[in-house]
Amino acid sequence: MVGQRRSDADGAAAPEHFLVVFPGYHRSWAAWIAQALERHGHRATLQRWDPPREVPLEDSFGDLLLSSGRVLLVLNDWFFELGPRPAGEWNDVLRGFVAAHADRFAAVNLTNRSLLPATAVLEPASLWGMSEDAAEERLLGRLGVERRRTPRASSTRVRYPDTRCEIWSEVPRRNPRFTGRDDLLTDLHQRLADAERGNAICTLLGMSGIGKTQLAAEYAHRFSTDYDLVWWVNSDDRNIQRDRFGELAVELGLSIGSEPGERIRAVRDALRRGEPHTNWLIIFDGWDDMAGVNTLLPQGPGHVLITSRNRGWSEHTDILEIPAFLRAESTGYLMRRATHITAAEADEVAAEFGDVPLPLVQAASWLGESGMEVPEYLRMVRERRLSTVDEPATGDGFPQSSMTSWSILLNRLRASQPHAIDVLGLCTSFAPGRIPIGLIRAYPQIDLPEELRWMTTDLPAWTRALDTLVNYSVLTRETRGPVGADMGPHQESVHMHRLVHDIVSKLTGEAGRAAHQRAVRSLLAEADPGNPMDSRNWPRYAELLPHLEPSGALESTQPRVQQMVLNCLRYCFRSGEYKSGLDLAQRIRERWARTMDPLSQLMLDLTYQESNILRASGRFRDAYDLDLGLHQRLRTAERPSPLAELSTKGNMANSLRHLGRYAEADDLQRGVLDGYATLLGPDEVSTLMARHNVAVGLRLLGRYQEAYELDLETLTQRENALRARHISTLNSGSAVTHDLRLLGRYRDALARQEPLVRLHVQVLGPQHPQTLGARTHLAMCRRREGGQQQDVGPYMASLLDQLEQVHGREHYRTLAFVTNYGNFLREHGDLVQARKLIDEAEAGYRSLLGPAHPVATGMLSNTGLVMQAAGERAEALSMFEAALGGLTAPLGPDHPWVLGCALNAASARNFNGRIADAVELSRDTLRRSRHTLGHEHPLTLSAQVALSADLRAAREQEEAGKLEEDGLLGLTRTLGAQHPHTISARQRTRPYWDFEPYLG
């Protein structure tokens, strides 16, 4: 497929422009192709290309066509894993978009392996295995470019990529799975090229496993056309390093003897003079021991590349810190190796290993070869049943050379800095990641094994040991506390990557491990702040939590350690870390159940916390069953504990409320409150919590005024007994606001909730579950109050995203706000999105709670409102009647939820022509609402306006007019003349009631 060539005035082919598109690993071929085209009078632009997976492939091809001229793709079989993307996606775009623009695309093929079938549309010219002249001829023929009689000269000739440089030795084979790092390689190439003669020396610095050796090898292959000599020197062992560097003398044809020192001096002199080669590259791989640097390091016109963990190279060379993969590089690599995993799963694996290449190689091998699913793989890794240095089924895991390199380093440290080995051993009894190593200096009186006592008494030795490990990139330093503050040794933290943790654990073995674990357990117990209720202590608990398992704290029989473990569990509940809390509770129960009495205080406390976390996670039935089982044991115990029974009953009542058994829960909760008040007094924390929960039950029973009075009393007591900023006091504040809103006192609710939300954010943070709950109350206050409605929508949309991020889309708190946002959108005319959200929430509640639960039943009323707004009046009536009947049975006819459903059902009867039935239901609704909520409540006034509309339809004009006038006056008094409800009533728009889900 040859494009039609333009001609100049003399009839000769006019110069063309070509965009040469290549993956980074084919830079040398792209450079050669560009030079070949330019020698024959054409322009060429190089374009490195790796189309992002999140961008449609057709769009990425379309972007290439924004250039002038034709697009030349440099292909091999790996080209079609850019992204990475499935073969079908490439075939579809090649057959469609590329075929439609075939005159703009061309290709060359650099492999003898088969390409995708649809590449036929590109008619790629194969350059594989050809001489330079033959390859150039075929390239020009494919593009329809004639040879010029006088080719344009190039100032620097690019070597043909298939021509090996004159001296090439022991460079590792090119890794066909090498991924990304293009910007890093380009930066490295530029640094070496720009350096002054004699100073083109760069050290790739980083921890083991970060990819230094792979990067150096790829650099050698990718830029081999720049060099006449490339010499690789393994430098883990000094003697091997000297021998290998000296062997270059033979390749250079130097007449010298066999003595290593003489050879090295001759090689350095030849390299310095640039004879016989000026374009040389020497790579010292793994040069950590810098002894002899002045006798080995060459200077001259060429380039030197070093890979090392030793930060001491910063005094001698340019330093290029090697970071972890970019996340796109990590996920791209994983998805190419393990084609069955999704982008989200690849992201999770990459995050688990901090984007460090070597453990990702091992993970990709396990996942790719075994077909193992990601959740199972990560579970095995997190449970320490699989480490980052275990060999997968293929044996393509952690290279033996890397283990050897680590063994050499550890042996070197044992000889020169044994204290550093002690610190490493201690670190492996913490979890990988952030390690609060300074705890050992913070608690100097702790009982340490004799071999570790120097850590608390010898500060210079401690500092030297840490400096050594940081210098060799084994650990990185972190600090706790304000940025810029002067941190003492007791506040030091270090970061130990999971890979390093696994390697050191494997190489150091079990010697001393039990003593180290015992020391770490004691340190963790000393560091326990003792009060997980106080949000100011949460950062410390978050720091302790990961280290419970590796330190053996979960198996400990020491009372202080066991109490610390329980406090970490309490922290999980209070801070909203429910997933971590459930996992921790299950692991604690697994250990403690082996030796402890199920009714011991520790096991009771464990059950209470596990029940709380189960409920907060939406697992209400599991929580109830757990509490019920404990209650049955307590009832048959020889010496029953009254407080234990009260705590268990309180949890049972809480679960019953969430399960929709409101009256049963209320009876049980009142008994708990009476019991606590008798045993502990009215101002104790447990009594106040029981009083708060009685109010929750009253709210669910529709007794809003009683709930408000009780919540107000509890708030006052909590402010006095606890403090204004205590998490429980803040919760009482939100409860009072909730009551005010349900009582129709929207302005009062809004005035209280705005400063309360600010206080929540200050104390708990913006993403804490209780803060999010307070913010949802604020959103509903703003919506019900009726002012500035244009600001409510964006606020609700943003809040919904945050709830989903914290809880997940299917959590009951998220579902509640999905419902409220859907109702808001329906009010403002977006019926399509409103229906989508309401349907989602209804299905979610039905799945979570069962179809008979009052909340699942009440959702039918919201569905009916969407249908009615869409003109589906008969279907809406069916929904309203189902909701009305379904709620009346369990809640009774006077419950506000039932009255709201009745308001909607009367409206639907009217719209469907059942006027008499509508009047009858509206009269009954108004009467009951006045009795339950009072004459001035917005729902009562809405029922009054609705009845006037039904009476007007029944031609009872006089009564209709009086009711309407009184209703309008009432709405104006309570809500204001400009409130949307007042305006709608004045315009005779039929009032409605939307169901606001609430589980307690």
Side-chain angles (χ1 to χ4, degrees):
M1 184 186 302
V2 180
Q4 186 174 0
R5 298 190 302 276
R6 294 180 290 110
S7 299
D8 59 21
D10 298 327
E16 288 190 63
H17 173 248
F18 294 93
L19 182 71
V20 183
V21 176
F22 65 98
Y25 47 82
H26 281 329
R27 178 179 291 278
S28 58
W29 274 102
W32 177 84
I33 289 168
Q35 180 181 259
L37 293 170
E38 289 170 352
R39 281 204 312 271
H40 293 276
H42 300 278
R43 290 192 305 115
T45 303
L46 298 183
Q47 174 76 49
R48 192 185 78 211
W49 198 58
D50 189 357
R53 181 179 175 81
E54 61 272 13
V55 176
L57 187 56
E58 184 172 313
D59 291 351
S60 294
F61 269 106
D63 289 342
L64 297 178
L65 294 185
L66 296 175
S67 70
S68 61
R70 283 189 282 166
V71 177
L72 177 65
L73 304 177
V74 181
L75 305 181
N76 71 344
D77 48 328
W78 277 83
F79 181 93
F80 298 101
E81 295 201 19
L82 293 174
R85 301 168 185 273
E89 186 176 351
W90 284 98
N91 278 325
D92 289 345
V93 173
L94 289 169
R95 291 173 183 137
F97 181 84
V98 174
H101 300 85
D103 59 322
R104 296 288 307 280
F105 287 100
V108 294
N109 178 18
L110 305 179
T111 181
N112 66 337
R113 292 184 292 272
S114 60
L115 301 181
L116 293 178
T119 52
V121 71
L122 295 165
E123 298 183 8
S126 176
L127 307 185
W128 184 80
M130 306 188 80
S131 68
E132 182 172 11
D133 288 343
E136 183 174 297
E137 188 71 37
R138 184 163 290 185
L139 169 69
L140 299 179
R142 171 63 185 86
L143 298 175
V145 174
E146 297 179 0
R147 285 183 173 271
R148 296 270 178 155
R149 293 181 180 177
T150 54
R152 179 182 299 175
S154 176
S155 57
T156 56
R157 179 70 182 266
V158 175
R159 181 185 285 109
Y160 182 56
D162 265 3
T163 304
R164 180 71 70 188
C165 58
E166 293 187 32
I167 298 177
W168 174 275
S169 180
E170 293 201 14
V171 178
R173 291 179 60 186
R174 195 170 196 181
N175 181 1
R177 295 190 173 101
F178 186 87
T179 296
R181 304 295 208 183
D182 286 330
D183 291 335
L184 210 56
L185 286 162
T186 301
D187 182 20
L188 175 59
H189 184 255
Q190 197 64 47
R191 288 185 185 211
L192 292 172
D194 292 346
E196 295 180 2
R197 179 187 171 100
N199 290 314
I201 308 173
C202 189
T203 299
L204 306 182
L205 185 66
M207 59 171 275
S208 285
I210 204 68
K212 303 183 298 295
T213 298
Q214 286 290 323
L215 196 66
E218 177 62 22
Y219 178 88
H221 286 281
R222 187 171 298 194
F223 297 102
S224 62
T225 53
D226 291 0
Y227 301 102
D228 300 315
L229 180 161
V230 177
W231 194 257
W232 187 278
V233 182
N234 290 318
S235 303
D236 281 337
D237 182 277
R238 188 182 178 199
N239 291 326
I240 293 174
Q241 179 192 36
R242 287 170 57 82
D243 288 345
R244 180 69 190 129
F245 186 62
E247 286 171 9
L248 181 54
V250 177
E251 296 292 335
L252 293 175
L254 303 179
S255 300
I256 40 83
S258 59
E259 198 276 319
E262 183 183 353
R263 285 188 169 199
I264 289 169
R265 287 189 292 274
V267 168
R268 292 185 73 209
D269 185 58
L271 294 175
R272 178 183 57 78
R273 290 182 286 107
E275 296 176 359
H277 300 293
T278 57
N279 297 324
W280 50 260
L281 172 66
I282 310 296
I283 301 173
F284 294 95
D285 183 43
W287 195 351
D288 292 334
D289 183 358
M290 295 176 60
V293 60
N294 293 325
T295 60
L296 273 179
L297 197 62
Q299 293 180 321
H303 298 163
V304 178
L305 191 56
I306 299 166
T307 73
S308 181
R309 294 173 290 199
N310 194 333
R311 295 185 174 276
W313 282 109
S314 60
E315 299 177 10
H316 300 272
T317 70
D318 186 18
I319 293 291
L320 183 58
E321 291 264 7
I322 307 304
F325 269 155
L326 299 173
R327 181 55 54 85
E329 293 172 335
S330 300
T331 56
Y333 178 79
L334 287 164
M335 294 175 73
R336 276 192 284 271
R337 293 289 309 275
T339 56
H340 66 288
I341 72 175
T342 66
E345 289 173 331
D347 187 82
E348 189 176 5
V349 174
E352 182 71 22
F353 296 115
D355 296 293
V356 172
L358 202 49
L360 290 178
V361 170
Q362 197 265 359
S365 183
W366 272 102
L367 293 165
E369 297 300 327
S370 69
M372 184 183 291
E373 296 299 327
V374 166
E376 172 65 12
Y377 175 75
L378 289 178
R379 187 172 62 81
M380 291 177 67
V381 168
R382 289 163 183 164
E383 292 177 357
R384 316 296 292 168
R385 291 195 286 128
L386 193 64
S387 83
T388 55
V389 294
D390 285 337
E391 291 288 333
T394 60
D396 185 19
F398 197 94
Q400 186 57 43
S401 60
S402 292
M403 294 299 287
T404 302
S405 172
W406 271 98
S407 295
I408 291 170
L409 175 61
L410 293 180
N411 288 333
R412 186 180 299 148
L413 291 176
R414 284 191 184 95
S416 65
Q417 182 60 274
H419 284 158
I421 296 295
D422 289 342
V423 173
L424 272 182
L426 190 70
C427 285
T428 58
S429 292
F430 288 93
R434 185 185 179 98
I435 297 174
I437 193 73
L439 291 178
I440 204 163
R441 303 285 309 172
Y443 304 105
Q445 304 307 317
I446 197 168
D447 185 23
L448 289 175
E450 185 175 350
E451 66 271 19
L452 300 183
R453 287 176 190 165
W454 67 267
M455 295 184 181
T456 64
T457 58
D458 191 344
L459 179 58
W462 169 263
T463 303
R464 280 194 304 273
L466 281 181
D467 286 345
T468 299
L469 294 171
V470 170
N471 191 53
Y472 278 104
S473 303
V474 178
L475 304 175
T476 55
R477 265 199 178 89
E478 297 181 351
T479 54
R480 297 196 307 270
V483 176
D486 187 15
M487 298 288 109
H490 63 288
Q491 293 171 300
E492 279 188 299
S493 288
V494 294
H495 187 278
M496 189 181 209
H497 192 273
R498 180 190 294 276
L499 172 69
V500 178
H501 192 278
D502 286 349
I503 293 170
V504 173
S505 298
K506 190 163 189 170
L507 292 178
T508 55
E510 294 298 319
R513 183 70 51 80
H516 289 157
Q517 287 180 318
R518 193 161 52 249
V520 171
R521 289 197 296 272
S522 299
L523 287 170
L524 297 178
E526 286 290 334
D528 179 6
N531 185 9
M533 295 284 287
D534 190 333
S535 60
R536 292 171 297 185
N537 293 329
W538 291 351
R540 171 52 63 90
Y541 281 113
E543 191 172 46
L544 302 182
L545 188 63
H547 307 296
L548 300 181
E549 183 87 54
S551 69
L554 302 185
E555 287 88 359
S556 175
T557 58
Q558 292 294 316
R560 288 197 65 187
V561 175
Q562 292 172 329
Q563 193 58 48
M564 179 268 298
V565 168
L566 276 178
N567 281 343
C568 286
L569 185 60
R570 292 186 180 98
Y571 150 76
C572 289
F573 171 59
R574 285 296 173 181
S575 66
E577 295 289 341
Y578 304 139
K579 184 176 180 182
S580 298
L582 282 178
D583 176 63
L584 178 59
Q586 290 161 6
R587 286 185 286 135
I588 297 171
R589 184 174 294 280
E590 179 186 337
R591 268 67 163 206
W592 288 6
R594 297 170 189 163
T595 57
M596 284 190 196
D597 183 336
L599 297 183
S600 67
Q601 190 58 51
L602 285 171
M603 288 295 285
L604 290 174
D605 289 343
L606 170 61
T607 301
Y608 301 150
Q609 296 307 316
E610 187 175 1
S611 170
N612 287 334
I613 298 173
L614 282 168
R615 210 161 25 252
S617 303
R619 294 171 56 180
F620 312 128
R621 174 57 63 181
D622 291 340
Y624 180 72
D625 290 343
L626 181 66
D627 296 325
L628 183 61
L630 178 57
H631 183 244
Q632 290 168 346
R633 286 197 195 95
L634 287 168
R635 291 180 64 185
T636 58
E638 292 182 9
R639 290 180 292 177
S641 166
L643 284 177
E645 284 205 57
L646 289 174
S647 296
T648 305
K649 287 180 178 179
N651 276 348
M652 291 172 63
N654 209 340
S655 296
L656 287 171
R657 280 192 296 274
H658 286 84
L659 291 169
R661 294 158 62 177
Y662 304 140
E664 188 179 349
D666 182 58
D667 289 341
L668 192 57
Q669 188 67 62
R670 288 178 183 277
V672 170
L673 175 57
D674 291 342
Y676 275 132
T678 300
L679 287 173
L680 303 177
D683 295 326
E684 283 297 312
V685 171
S686 298
T687 310
L688 294 174
M689 178 59 73
R691 180 177 285 110
H692 173 86
N693 286 336
V694 169
V696 172
L698 289 170
R699 202 175 300 127
L700 287 164
L701 289 167
R703 293 155 62 178
Y704 301 150
Q705 184 63 36
E706 293 176 67
Y708 170 66
E709 292 168 0
L710 191 56
D711 278 326
L712 203 56
E713 179 185 344
T714 305
L715 174 60
T716 302
Q717 289 180 282
R718 278 179 164 172
E719 286 174 338
N720 293 332
L722 303 172
R723 66 179 193 275
R725 296 166 65 89
H726 191 279
I727 185 172
S728 298
T729 309
L730 295 176
N731 199 24
S732 279
S734 281
V736 169
T737 300
H738 194 179
D739 297 329
L740 286 169
R741 180 161 54 80
L742 294 176
L743 288 168
R745 296 169 57 181
Y746 303 141
R747 290 176 189 166
D748 293 342
L750 181 59
R752 272 183 170 269
Q753 194 65 12
E754 285 181 332
L756 187 60
V757 164
R758 289 194 292 270
L759 198 55
H760 269 85
V761 171
Q762 291 171 13
V763 175
L764 304 177
Q767 300 297 311
H768 186 276
Q770 187 169 306
T771 303
L772 290 174
R775 292 169 67 193
T776 62
H777 283 313
L778 178 58
M780 294 306 293
C781 287
R782 288 174 175 170
R783 181 183 165 212
R784 298 300 187 200
E785 195 273 335
Q788 303 298 320
Q789 288 294 296
Q790 69 274 16
D791 298 330
V792 175
Y795 182 82
M796 294 184 80
S798 171
L799 187 50
L800 178 55
D801 288 341
Q802 294 172 62
L803 283 161
E804 182 177 359
Q805 180 182 345
V806 171
H807 294 302
R809 190 76 176 185
E810 297 177 354
H811 191 275
Y812 68 95
R813 291 191 178 110
T814 309
L815 291 175
F817 205 69
V818 166
T819 304
N820 294 331
Y821 187 43
N823 284 330
F824 174 85
L825 292 176
R826 187 207 71 248
E827 278 183 333
H828 291 80
D830 189 350
L831 294 184
V832 173
Q833 185 65 10
R835 177 171 293 213
K836 179 180 176 183
L837 293 177
I838 296 298
D839 286 350
E840 175 191 349
E842 183 189 338
Y845 276 124
R846 186 178 290 111
S847 173
L848 179 68
L849 305 171
H853 192 285
V855 167
T857 304
M859 285 298 300
L860 299 175
S861 195
N862 290 326
T863 302
L865 287 173
V866 176
M867 290 177 169
Q868 188 163 271
E872 302 166 19
R873 293 184 169 180
E875 294 84 350
L877 174 60
S878 176
M879 286 291 173
F880 292 142
E881 297 286 7
L884 178 59
L887 286 179
T888 301
L891 302 181
D894 294 331
H895 194 287
W897 290 358
V898 176
L899 298 174
C901 288
L903 179 74
N904 292 338
S907 171
R909 291 178 184 182
N910 186 319
F911 290 151
N912 282 274
R914 294 170 51 186
I915 305 300
D917 290 343
V919 171
E920 181 183 0
L921 183 56
S922 287
R923 283 192 189 279
D924 185 62
T925 303
L926 177 58
R927 178 178 58 80
R928 293 182 184 279
S929 188
R930 283 172 171 170
H931 172 73
T932 300
L933 299 171
H935 287 248
E936 298 291 299
H937 193 281
L939 180 54
T940 304
L941 295 170
S942 293
Q944 187 170 334
V945 171
L947 176 57
S948 70
D950 292 332
L951 290 170
R952 205 164 38 248
R955 302 187 184 281
E956 299 182 28
Q957 302 293 346
E958 184 177 350
E959 184 181 2
K962 185 176 185 309
L963 281 171
E964 183 179 50
E965 183 180 353
D966 288 347
L968 283 170
L969 287 172
L971 287 169
T972 303
R973 279 194 308 273
T974 56
L975 301 181
Q978 299 305 311
H979 192 282
H981 289 353
T982 308
I983 294 172
S984 294
R986 193 179 301 120
Q987 295 171 346
R988 291 188 172 175
T989 301
R990 182 85 190 205
Y992 58 85
W993 173 84
D994 53 54
F995 175 70
E996 186 180 330
Y998 177 59
L999 288 173

